Amino acid sequence: MSTIVSLNKALTEFYDKMASWESSVVRESEYSLAQIHTLEVLGNYGAMNMKSLANQLGITTGTLTVQVEKLVKLDLVKRQHSEDDRRSITVALTEAGQAIHEHHNALHLSLTEDLSKDLSENERHTLMALLNKVNQEF
Amino acid sequence: MSTIVSLNKALTEFYDKMASWESSVVRESEYSLAQIHTLEVLGNYGAMNMKSLANQLGITTGTLTVQVEKLVKLDLVKRQHSEDDRRSITVALTEAGQAIHEHHNALHLSLTEDLSKDLSENERHTLMALLNKVNQEF
DNA sequence: ATATTTACTTTGACAGTCAAGTTATCTACC
DNA sequence: GGTAGATAACTTGACTGTCAAAGTAAATAT
């Protein structure tokens, strides 16, 4: 079997297992996958307007409006009208939202530690570097 | 920043981008993400019963029953009663289902080719090997 | 034999989603 | 300045995916 086919299998398998892990982690929390994902994007990339956030999440702004409304009621995000464009609304994490993001991020880090526990420091670094090359090509 | 934190970022970024790619590829097809995912699992792991399939997909058998019903109507999968356990039902791809799986798989392979186009044969092999180590730890 | 477990199905309630249409605001052009 | 078109966000209606809980039928244990 060619390297490319094996690599494809490995990448796909990783993606599937990661999705499964994420799903089970979220199921144990009191928030939905969509909600955690929203907090995750805001935490990782910082506050942004509705359009950018919807784009990053891969959903329409219509769907996002409803989602953000719920998160505002839960006091996890806040909305701020932009000063230079009054149509635009910036969505940002509240302190409570930030805390949840940090907790979720700690779970991710802990998973990464587990996954790479049999790798040498050199191997971890190589994997990271190769993945970064791959990520740039998307 | 420690290697483990960078590695975590790289893995998470890959997962996010892959999810986004999958979602946009599926949106262009005439089938839903859940449907394609079901065909994907059956294609990659072979025919299996409802319980295993639900488990692999991370959904309940109740949800799967409805999903399989739709796929049967679309002639993409078929149900067969197991001979040694008459409660158990084996779900398998039909020819049409197999064709869709192969088409989707070709898209994945093509993505992998694109993603690794700037990697040497050696690097591809290293990445594949390291990912396989990681995948085993899930 | 009968009680328990297992495999699957059915049903009811609810999240997430999109498409299409609406409103408010901004930008470009006369 | 005034008007037309573009843009950002919101609203609504329809549909899919989801689970939990309850139901059915078959296998297994006692």
Side-chain angles (χ1 to χ4, degrees):
Chain A
M1 187 162 52
S2 81
T3 306
I4 204 95
V5 172
S6 310
L7 178 57
N8 184 49
K9 270 190 200 293
L11 288 170
T12 305
E13 187 178 343
F14 172 76
Y15 169 68
D16 279 347
K17 290 185 166 176
M18 191 75 168
S20 170
W21 176 85
E22 183 82 14
S23 153
S24 75
V25 159
V26 166
R27 210 189 309 275
E28 284 161 21
S29 82
E30 59 184 308
Y31 305 106
S32 71
L33 187 54
Q35 288 175 331
I36 293 289
H37 197 190
T38 303
L39 301 182
E40 219 172 351
V41 168
L42 289 174
N44 289 334
Y45 299 91
M48 63 184 84
N49 67 19
M50 293 290 288
K51 188 183 165 79
S52 304
L53 184 52
N55 200 46
Q56 192 66 227
L57 291 168
I59 59 179
T60 63
T61 56
T63 300
L64 184 59
T65 294
V66 179
Q67 190 59 252
V68 165
E69 189 56 37
K70 285 183 208 160
L71 291 173
V72 166
K73 277 192 182 135
L74 291 168
D75 188 37
L76 299 180
V77 307
K78 56 193 168 191
R79 283 191 267 226
Q80 294 159 316
H81 278 276
S82 167
E83 292 182 6
D84 38 317
D85 186 340
R86 287 171 46 201
R87 293 168 306 175
S88 181
I89 288 187
T90 300
V91 184
L93 292 178
T94 61
E95 273 191 31
Q98 179 66 27
I100 289 172
H101 164 64
E102 278 164 18
H103 176 251
H104 186 75
N105 207 43
L107 294 179
H108 267 286
L109 198 58
S110 164
L111 172 68
T112 297
E113 280 169 4
D114 286 352
L115 292 180
S116 66
K117 74 178 194 305
D118 287 347
L119 267 51
S120 68
E121 175 63 15
N122 233 330
E123 286 177 318
R124 282 199 196 94
H125 197 271
T126 301
L127 178 56
M128 182 268 285
L130 289 174
L131 276 173
N132 279 336
K133 274 199 188 179
V134 163
N135 285 339
Q136 279 181 352
E137 297 298 328
F138 266 100
Chain B
M1 189 161 53
S2 80
T3 306
I4 203 94
V5 172
S6 308
L7 178 58
N8 183 50
K9 270 189 200 296
L11 288 170
T12 304
E13 186 177 343
F14 172 75
Y15 169 67
D16 279 348
K17 289 185 168 179
M18 190 75 167
S20 170
W21 177 85
E22 183 83 14
S23 152
S24 75
V25 159
V26 165
R27 211 189 309 273
E28 283 163 19
S29 82
E30 59 184 308
Y31 304 106
S32 71
L33 187 55
Q35 288 175 332
I36 293 289
H37 197 190
T38 303
L39 301 182
E40 218 172 349
V41 168
L42 290 174
N44 288 336
Y45 299 91
M48 63 184 82
N49 67 19
M50 294 290 289
K51 188 183 165 79
S52 304
L53 185 52
N55 200 45
Q56 192 66 228
L57 291 167
I59 59 179
T60 63
T61 57
T63 301
L64 184 59
T65 293
V66 179
Q67 191 59 252
V68 165
E69 189 57 38
K70 283 184 210 159
L71 291 172
V72 166
K73 277 191 183 136
L74 290 168
D75 189 36
L76 299 180
V77 307
K78 55 195 169 192
R79 283 191 268 226
Q80 293 159 317
H81 278 275
S82 167
E83 292 181 6
D84 39 316
D85 186 341
R86 287 168 48 200
R87 292 168 307 174
S88 181
I89 289 186
T90 300
V91 184
L93 291 179
T94 60
E95 273 192 30
Q98 179 66 28
I100 289 172
H101 163 63
E102 278 163 19
H103 176 250
H104 186 75
N105 207 41
L107 294 179
H108 267 286
L109 198 58
S110 165
L111 173 68
T112 298
E113 280 168 5
D114 285 352
L115 293 180
S116 66
K117 74 177 194 305
D118 287 347
L119 268 51
S120 69
E121 175 64 16
N122 234 330
E123 286 177 317
R124 282 198 196 95
H125 197 272
T126 301
L127 177 56
M128 183 267 286
L130 290 174
L131 276 173
N132 280 337
K133 275 197 187 180
V134 163
N135 285 339
Q136 280 180 351
E137 298 298 327
F138 266 101

